[in-house]
Amino acid sequence: MRVVIAEDNVLLSAGLELILGTKDIEVAAVVTDGPGLLDAAARHRPDALIVDVRLPPSFRDEGIQAALAVRRAHPGLPVLVLSQYVERVYAHELLADGSGGVGYLLKDRVSRVGEFVDALHRVARGGTVMDPEVVDQLMTGTGRNAAVHAAVDALTPREREVLTLMARGLGNREIGERLVITDNAVHKHIGNIFAKLGLPVDDRGHRRVLAVLTYLDSRG
């Protein structure tokens, strides 16, 4: 696998290069801003991008905007976003473009090498991965409107567990193994979840998590 990293923190980018190198993942380029990411993606044609949310010059959303621009130029190019904090708007914005593998991890996750590399591989294969802490904070958020509150209350404890694991990027088989239930049971729970939340049933990885985010986004 070949990746391009967009990260202005030299220590973090060097650490990423070192980690990935030990896992037979080639870092084709390291850039520090949005224009550099666009150029590197076109020049190196990587298998995935690793992008910081906040890049120079304003350190607001340049990374996300550059990632979206790259995906418009190269539809489906997998993107794994790193962030210092849980930023729901940015997570939703990237997922909502609807193409290819996407991931959203907190930077602390990089130190958990196995989890980080596994997430990168999932994203490169076209999957969607959200950091467990991001999911947990969103799932326990407050301010939901009445309709969503009623829909969430209608979920059984098991359905809530399945919904959380879906948002973390796990597939049906992995959810079944984690909860020690059959594939048929997982499929039934997913159908119930989408029905109760008024969302279309669709087992494809990206749309599964996008549906979860649509639900989360309707909170206060």
Side-chain angles (χ1 to χ4, degrees), residues 112-150:
R112 304 175 188 179
V113 175
E115 292 182 21
F116 173 70
V117 173
D118 178 65
L120 179 58
H121 279 293
R122 286 174 183 266
V123 170
R125 293 194 298 265
T128 308
V129 177
M130 288 183 66
D131 193 289
E133 186 172 337
V134 175
V135 177
D136 290 343
Q137 289 197 31
L138 294 176
M139 293 290 287
T140 58
T142 58
R144 299 176 305 205
N145 63 40
V148 173
H149 192 288

Side-chain angles (χ1 to χ4, degrees), residues 40-53:
R43 179 177 303 179
H44 297 286
R45 298 287 179 164
D47 300 302
L49 307 177
I50 300 174
V51 184
D52 187 2
V53 166

Side-chain angles (χ1 to χ4, degrees), residues 53-167:
V53 166
R54 300 181 179 185
L55 294 174
S58 72
F59 297 96
R60 296 176 64 183
D61 64 352
E62 284 88 347
I64 286 289
Q65 297 308 321
L68 292 171
V70 169
R71 283 163 70 92
R72 286 192 292 271
H74 310 282
L77 179 59
V79 177
L80 176 59
V81 169
L82 299 178
S83 178
Q84 190 69 42
Y85 309 103
V86 177
E87 298 170 294
R88 179 173 61 186
V89 173
Y90 296 149
H92 188 278
E93 186 173 4
L94 181 65
L95 285 162
D97 94 333
S99 63
V102 291
Y104 187 98
L105 295 182
L106 297 183
K107 288 187 175 181
D108 289 347
R109 194 68 53 186
V110 175
S111 64
R112 304 175 188 179
V113 175
E115 292 182 21
F116 173 70
V117 173
D118 178 65
L120 179 58
H121 279 293
R122 286 174 183 266
V123 170
R125 293 194 298 265
T128 308
V129 177
M130 288 183 66
D131 193 289
E133 186 172 337
V134 175
V135 177
D136 290 343
Q137 289 197 31
L138 294 176
M139 293 290 287
T140 58
T142 58
R144 299 176 305 205
N145 63 40
V148 173
H149 192 288
V152 173
D153 287 346
L155 297 178
T156 66
R158 178 64 85 189
E159 288 165 355
R160 288 171 182 260
E161 289 179 312
V162 171
L163 180 60
T164 299
L165 293 176
M166 286 170 57

